[in-house]
Amino acid sequence: MLLFVGLGNPGGKYEKNRHNIGFMALDRIAADHGFAPWRAKFQGQLTEGKLGSEKVLLLKPETFMNKSGQSVGEAMRFYKLEPSDVIVFHDELDLAPGKCRVKQGGGHAGHNGLRSIHAHIGEAYGRVRLGIGHPGRKDLVSHYVLQDFAKADADWLDDLLRGLSDGAPELAAGHNDKFLNAVSLRTAPARSSKTAPKPAAKPHPDAKPDAPPASPDTEDRSPLQKLMDKFR
């Protein structure tokens, strides 16, 4: 059994925030793969289903971002899971919008949700880092992540969420490269190297048909020879 965790803040006020992209990812996966209805459990919202042949729990902690580890730790203890069974979907300032990376273990890089999870279960869990871009200055970060995605972000965000859902069975199977490839097919689809030939231009309705090319020696023939040619 695996536990996929999406990070965010509960309530309609935060629903479309950049910080809630982890919630958005799990909502799309649950909807696309026929998971059971969400129910309140472990200080969060939980659902379960299958991705490929793997049984997977999806958890959205409702403890607010800074205390996400409380919910994750409680779920892990109940199901007797190890940190390696956990994969956390979270926003990533250090990746361009729409980019996705997978990481196993390591530091929390100042992310408050990851910091809390570190405190409760250690650092040996997996992460799916979802790029939201950086506002440019450190003092703008808090305001930036708690703002809704802009309208201009709608297309790449939808492509990213669809890609995450497409690749979720591969992620559950431990095939990270195939998972990232599925995401890439949505966010950066391959373009054909073959260019279709341009259709021939249609002649103008009033254009006269071209005269047939003259034989190279036409101009050197006598009038009698030209007349004889007509009866050949």
Side-chain angles (χ1 to χ4, degrees):
M1 181 185 294
L2 297 173
L3 176 63
F4 284 8
V5 179
L7 296 188
N9 289 308
K13 176 182 177 181
Y14 303 101
E15 185 177 1
K16 297 180 181 179
N17 284 185
R18 293 182 177 93
H19 225 14
N20 274 42
I21 195 171
F23 277 14
M24 297 174 193
L26 263 57
D27 283 337
R28 178 59 64 89
I29 291 170
D32 288 353
H33 294 276
F35 275 58
W38 293 94
R39 67 185 192 277
K41 199 165 186 180
F42 309 125
Q43 303 179 65
Q45 290 293 316
L46 183 78
T47 181
E48 58 187 71
K50 296 194 78 174
L51 293 173
S53 61
E54 301 291 333
K55 184 175 181 181
V56 180
L57 301 165
L58 305 182
L59 175 67
K60 297 187 294 183
E62 292 189 312
T63 50
F64 285 92
M65 184 68 77
N66 294 2
K67 296 182 179 180
S68 299
Q70 294 180 5
S71 174
V72 177
E74 191 174 329
M76 278 186 60
R77 289 189 294 274
F78 182 87
Y79 289 105
K80 297 180 173 60
L81 300 176
E82 298 296 326
S84 58
D85 300 320
V86 178
I87 299 176
V88 178
F89 292 71
H90 67 90
D91 57 303
E92 178 58 72
L93 290 162
D94 294 331
L95 287 178
K99 296 296 182 182
C100 175
R101 298 289 184 270
V102 177
K103 180 180 179 182
Q104 189 72 34
H108 53 66
H111 191 290
N112 288 332
L114 299 184
R115 189 197 307 274
S116 176
I117 294 173
H118 271 51
H120 285 266
I121 72 169
E123 54 81 32
Y125 56 92
R127 308 98 194 268
V128 176
R129 305 163 63 213
L130 305 174
I132 61 169
H134 197 287
R137 298 207 321 258
K138 188 175 181 179
D139 59 304
L140 298 177
V141 166
S142 294
H143 178 66
Y144 176 77
V145 299
L146 294 176
Q147 280 186 320
D148 288 356
F149 281 105
K151 289 183 179 179
D153 297 325
D155 287 344
W156 70 255
L157 179 60
D158 186 61
D159 287 341
L160 176 60
L161 296 176
R162 287 175 184 272
L164 296 172
S165 180
D166 290 347
E170 299 291 358
L171 182 67
H175 304 152
N176 291 348
D177 288 346
K178 291 182 179 180
F179 165 69
L180 291 173
N181 185 58
V183 175
S184 180
L185 288 175
R186 288 285 189 177
T187 58
R191 297 184 180 182
S192 173
S193 59
K194 297 181 181 178
T195 304
K198 293 183 179 179
K202 293 182 179 180
H204 191 277
D206 298 330
K208 295 181 179 179
D210 293 335
S215 174
D217 59 351
T218 297
E219 300 305 323
D220 297 330
R221 299 173 69 79
S222 69
L224 180 58
Q225 288 173 318
K226 292 179 181 179
L227 181 61
M228 291 176 64
D229 287 342
K230 293 182 180 180
F231 294 96
R232 285 181 177 177

